[in-house]
Amino acid sequence: MSVLYILWLRELRRYVRSRAQIVASLGQPLMYLVALGFGLGPIFQKAGQGSYIQFVAPGVICMTVLFSSIFSGMGLLWDRQFGFLKETLVAPVPRIQIMLGRTLGAATVAVVQGLLVVVVCLIAGFRPVSAAMIPVALLFMTLIACLFSALGTAIGSVLQNMQGLQLIMNFMVMPMFFLSGALFPLAHLPKLLGVVTSLDPLAYGVDGMRSALIGTSHFGVTWDLGVLVVVAAVILCIGTYLFSKIEA
């Protein structure tokens, strides 16, 4: 049995056994759907933009995948603290297999959490415009999960302790989410803000999800897909290099 498969399976087992994590992963999406979806819904509708639940649901799904994948990827900090990472690194296998196993495991967990939030969104009143586009939405969820799981692993390879997590949260993850257009339309933004959002890889994931689920797109679904694939490949290469230099 390969190390890649073992690490992938380990991430899934750790997630399934953590019932608290499963429940907690639904808390923040519920807050956004209830507080923003229903709270800002009448204002959004009066502005002629339609249902805000329909608009914000793809962004909430992407938010769940983002947070789950990047922090699952950074879980190697815990493994370093408790000695599991040292046991893994001494295995007579290429480190790229270890890195890919961890990344794919974290990405799978993130997609599962994203699917749970899809169910919550459906209960809240969200309805995809086309069932035929659901596989495309799943593809975008997978790309987002792989990209940010690899980014989390790359960050975790550089950090030496848990104290840097709050810094990453405040100066990378939250700005990345709020500038992605998950909560507001990207059309008619000020020029500077438009440039900033176009540099955010999550913006293309959110836009791709909206294109698949509600049929609206700012960048274009082909462009969204191309950017995510290229950025994911680059981050995966960077993460692999940084992981190869890690010392337990």
Side-chain angles (χ1 to χ4, degrees), residues 185-222:
L186 293 178
H188 310 299
L189 291 177
K191 185 175 295 185
L192 179 59
L193 187 57
V195 172
V196 174
T197 56
S198 67
L199 297 176
D200 183 355
L202 184 62
Y204 299 92
V206 173
D207 192 61
M209 287 287 289
R210 283 210 180 100
S211 176
L213 294 176
I214 64 175
T216 62
S217 179
H218 178 72
F219 300 110
V221 65
T222 304

Side-chain angles (χ1 to χ4, degrees), residues 63-193:
M63 174 196 72
T64 304
V65 176
L66 164 69
F67 281 85
S68 175
S69 57
I70 200 166
F71 287 112
S72 293
M74 292 172 66
L76 63 89
L77 289 173
W78 291 100
D79 292 343
R80 174 183 286 169
Q81 183 175 347
F82 294 107
F84 180 80
L85 181 61
K86 184 179 294 185
E87 296 176 2
T88 306
L89 293 179
V90 298
V93 295
R95 287 196 174 185
I96 187 173
Q97 289 191 25
I98 300 174
M99 190 270 182
L100 288 176
R102 297 187 62 92
T103 299
L104 292 177
T108 304
V109 169
V111 170
V112 171
Q113 288 192 332
L115 292 175
L116 290 176
V117 174
V118 170
V119 175
V120 173
C121 291
L122 292 174
I123 294 173
F126 172 72
R127 295 293 180 268
V129 295
S130 173
M133 292 296 288
I134 291 178
V136 178
L138 185 60
L139 173 61
F140 275 103
M141 287 175 62
T142 304
L143 285 173
I144 295 169
C146 290
L147 192 162
F148 290 105
S149 295
L151 180 60
T153 301
I155 295 171
S157 300
V158 175
L159 294 179
Q160 297 297 321
N161 52 57
M162 302 298 295
Q163 295 176 352
L165 282 176
Q166 192 64 35
L167 184 68
I168 297 299
M169 181 72 176
N170 290 335
F171 292 98
M172 178 178 289
V173 181
M174 292 305 294
M176 196 177 294
F177 166 63
F178 281 111
L179 292 173
S180 67
L183 305 179
F184 57 86
L186 293 178
H188 310 299
L189 291 177
K191 185 175 295 185
L192 179 59
L193 187 57

